[in-house]
Amino acid sequence: MSMLGIKWKLHGTGKSIKPGHVVAPDERLAWPLTIGVGMQHVVAMFGATFLVPIITGMPPATTLFFSGIGTLLFLVITKGRVPSYLGSSFAFIAPIMASQQQFGVPGALGGVVLAGAALALVGAIVQKFGAGWINRLMPPIVTGAIVALIGLNLAPAAKQNFDAAPVTAVVTLATIILVSVLFRGILGRLSILVGVVVGYLVAMLRGEVSYDKMEAAAWVGLPQFQTPEFHVGVLGLFVPVVLVLVAENIGHVKSVAAMTGQNLDGVSGRALMADGAATVLAGFGGGSGTTTYAENIGVMAATKVYSTAAYWVAGVFAIVLSFSPKFGELIATVPPGVLGGAATMLYGMIGILGVKIWVQNRVNFSNPVNLTTAAVALIIGIADYTWTIGDLKFTGIALGSAAALVIYHGMKAIAKARGTAAEPETEQAGLPPQANAAGNAAARRAPKKR
């Protein structure tokens, strides 16, 4: 049982948490409380997980089913050491939409499978050799640029939905903004879900919602499964996603380690393999690719409960919900205006997450290598440059990601060989920008040692 991560010790009396204490991953509260926390995790992941299939036209119930299955698989592979819910990854939105235009839904699912397999392979390498090579391949300037350009590349899709029903979109967006600052705790963290609900009510009043498919659907039934097709042309669309998933996953493991006070470096490879396996499984059945969810980290931070037992509850409950076709069709009735308002915030948040990576790691943009890497990659991604070679079509996300990697490592190698790397890659801690600039200028003026 312990090998599967389903053997938990009771935390204290199981009824409360003392100040300054947390419920560790291998502990649990009394089952009624654990079930309650697990339900919170379902609510936390709900809005974001469903936005992906709704935006990409995938069956919501199928995505929910595989997110539940993927979560349970993740807990088993990591032996219950990493509490996490695997929800739909926003990084898959752009490649899925682009590949559907060329190869339909089966082709998009084939790309999801390939991305998952690549992620699992990276996980196996990390488990064998450690994660240091990832940090060297993708330093913060590169990781931030890739995450930012994926979000900003989706801006035209958000505008298209926004223009379909501007009034509904504005109400949805305004609600998200207001809820995020009006409320504390879990409600504030669920601002996107609340905004979607309010926007949906407005859309109903404006006659923008159709229930024809929902009324015809059964209350109980299997999710809509689909099989993938594999095309070489999707490789350029989905490969960059793997880089983002690696960064997200490792960041999640580090966050959980910091919050629980446990060293989880030894299980980071397993976490990547588990996420990859869950994504492969989803792609083979018609679901979207998965990733570890920051929304659920927020629930853990608020409740101080890091028990994997709560995630077993969440995974099982998600699977149960997925067996209601009527529920799935209800979710699919969300109209374009609501999606446009939510996506304006959501895609922008993805872009800003890239900027956040730069800020947290004190990336120095006085360094020409950093500046050029970000500048070129972002423009390629936002403008959606394309390059077609036979059956392969590389779009802005693929080309922007490749540009970030090639420019950074190429310029760094040349600067090192020529001895022209005068600026540090990171800002000095604790100093204001003016002091950093002065220090950098002094470093340039200082005579070189011979």
Side-chain angles (χ1 to χ4, degrees), residues 301-314:
T303 61
K304 306 302 180 186
V305 178
Y306 302 93
S307 171
T308 54
Y311 282 99
W312 276 91
V313 171

Side-chain angles (χ1 to χ4, degrees), residues 82-94:
V82 184
S84 179
Y85 191 92
L86 296 190
S88 303
S89 171
F90 300 132
F92 280 97
I93 294 176

Side-chain angles (χ1 to χ4, degrees), residues 184-240:
R184 298 177 180 178
I186 187 66
L187 187 60
R189 294 180 184 276
L190 297 177
S191 59
I192 292 179
L193 177 59
V194 175
V196 168
V197 171
V198 172
Y200 187 89
L201 294 175
V202 172
M204 287 176 59
L205 295 175
R206 293 175 59 83
E208 298 168 358
V209 182
S210 173
Y211 295 103
D212 294 341
K213 290 185 178 180
M214 190 197 78
E215 292 173 354
W219 280 102
V220 179
L222 289 173
Q224 179 185 342
F225 297 116
Q226 302 177 79
T227 55
E229 292 178 0
F230 298 96
H231 302 274
V232 176
V234 303
L235 289 175
L237 296 170
F238 284 89
V239 168

Side-chain angles (χ1 to χ4, degrees), residues 38 89 95 113 123 176 183 201 222 258 260 269 275 282 293 319 350 384 391 419:
S89 171
V113 171
I176 294 172
F183 301 99
L201 294 175
L222 289 173
T260 60
D275 196 355
Y293 253 30
I319 294 170
I350 298 172
D384 201 23
D391 292 333

Side-chain angles (χ1 to χ4, degrees), residues 72 94-96 109 127 183 315 342 418 448:
L72 302 186
I96 285 177
L109 293 176
Q127 193 65 24
F183 301 99
R418 293 285 298 164
K448 294 182 180 180

